[in-house]
Amino acid sequence: NRHIRSLASADVTVFDAASVLTGEDGNLASAYSRDFLHLSAAAYERLNEKLRDQIDLVLQAAIATNPAEQPDVAQPSIKPADKVSSEVQPSTPTSKDGPR
């Protein structure tokens, strides 16, 4: 993680998910874990909220730096999960006896 943080620069934004999800004790906050391994829905909501904030800051900085080349933010380029094409289906784990 230290190496990843060291990559931060004027051209590289590093998003530190751990700082968003950890409690005062430095461990994953219980509200953000279903079983001490997998993240809960609340964790993903919190991460999405903080990512949106970070993206807004990056876009604002880009616009302030070069207002002539403003991105078209009226049309998001990332589709919400419920709008993703039905052609993309998650894979189903299989075993020798067939799908689980």
Side-chain angles (χ1 to χ4, degrees):
N1 287 339
R2 270 185 259 155
H3 175 70
I4 293 171
R5 287 186 198 107
S6 75
L7 300 174
S9 69
D11 296 325
V12 176
T13 300
V14 175
F15 179 77
D16 184 7
S19 68
V20 175
L21 301 177
T22 54
E24 290 182 18
D25 63 358
N27 293 316
L28 180 63
S30 61
Y32 297 137
S33 177
R34 298 182 321 201
D35 56 10
F36 302 106
L37 177 62
H38 299 94
L39 297 178
S40 67
Y44 287 109
E45 288 173 20
R46 181 76 171 143
L47 286 172
N48 285 336
E49 174 187 313
K50 290 298 185 178
L51 277 169
R52 276 188 220 102
D53 293 345
Q54 189 65 46
I55 291 168
D56 286 344
L57 289 173
V58 169
L59 286 175
Q60 289 171 8
I63 291 168
T65 302
N66 196 351
E69 293 186 24
Q70 291 187 27
D72 181 11
V73 293
Q75 297 296 324
S77 59
I78 301 174
K79 297 178 182 179
D82 62 330
K83 303 292 184 196
V84 175
S85 169
S86 61
E87 296 172 17
V88 179
Q89 297 295 323
S91 62
T92 303
T94 59
S95 68
K96 65 180 182 170
D97 300 324
R100 292 185 203 175

